Amino acid sequence: MDRTEIQTILPHRPPMLLVDEAHIEGDTAVGRYTVRGDEFFLQGHFPGNPVVPGVILCEMMGQSSAVLIADKMAGATPFFSGMDKVRFRRIVRPGDTIVFTTTLTANKGAFYFMTGTGTVNDELCVSAELSFALVR
């Protein structure tokens, strides 16, 4: 799905919509975002040496994973409830296309648990265990 279709699932809108496309492969979500270089989060991080902040990488991963629970999100807003075992391995810069792969590992009521990775050119950039609460 493209950005327009993703906006039917996520409540995020530009400039906080941080996924360009996403789809499901089996029980795994795959999302992509190409860093253009004009994003708000690069303006001060860092002048002359733009680097995507780690917290933004986690947000991108979370948004990319939303297609896995799209059918559960009607009338609800997804909120992060946890980020565990987050590791950053490679800097992400303007011009990079980061590919996020996430898998749903558990569901307990309104809470959803996922593991994910983000790669650029098949090189690991970020990995994490994420949890979300769907709040109505």
Side-chain angles (χ1 to χ4, degrees), residues 86-125:
V86 178
R87 299 292 181 264
F88 303 103
R89 307 285 185 206
R90 178 194 185 277
I91 291 172
V92 179
R93 299 184 180 280
D96 287 343
T97 297
I98 187 161
V99 178
F100 296 97
T101 305
T102 54
T103 303
L104 182 65
T105 58
N107 168 233
K108 294 179 183 172
F111 292 90
Y112 293 83
F113 302 86
M114 301 182 189
T115 59
T117 60
T119 60
V120 172
N121 297 324
D122 294 322
E123 188 177 342
L124 184 64
C125 301

Side-chain angles (χ1 to χ4, degrees), residues 34-87:
T34 299
V35 182
R36 298 177 314 275
D38 62 349
E39 289 89 352
F40 71 93
F41 50 81
L42 294 175
Q43 293 176 12
H45 197 267
F46 301 99
N49 185 24
V51 174
V52 177
V55 68
I56 296 294
L57 293 174
C58 291
E59 179 67 24
M60 290 172 174
M61 186 185 307
Q63 289 184 23
S64 294
S65 69
V67 296
L68 286 173
I69 57 173
D71 60 330
K72 312 283 192 274
M73 289 180 31
T77 301
F79 287 95
F80 273 121
S81 56
M83 293 182 213
D84 296 312
K85 299 181 183 174
V86 178
R87 299 292 181 264

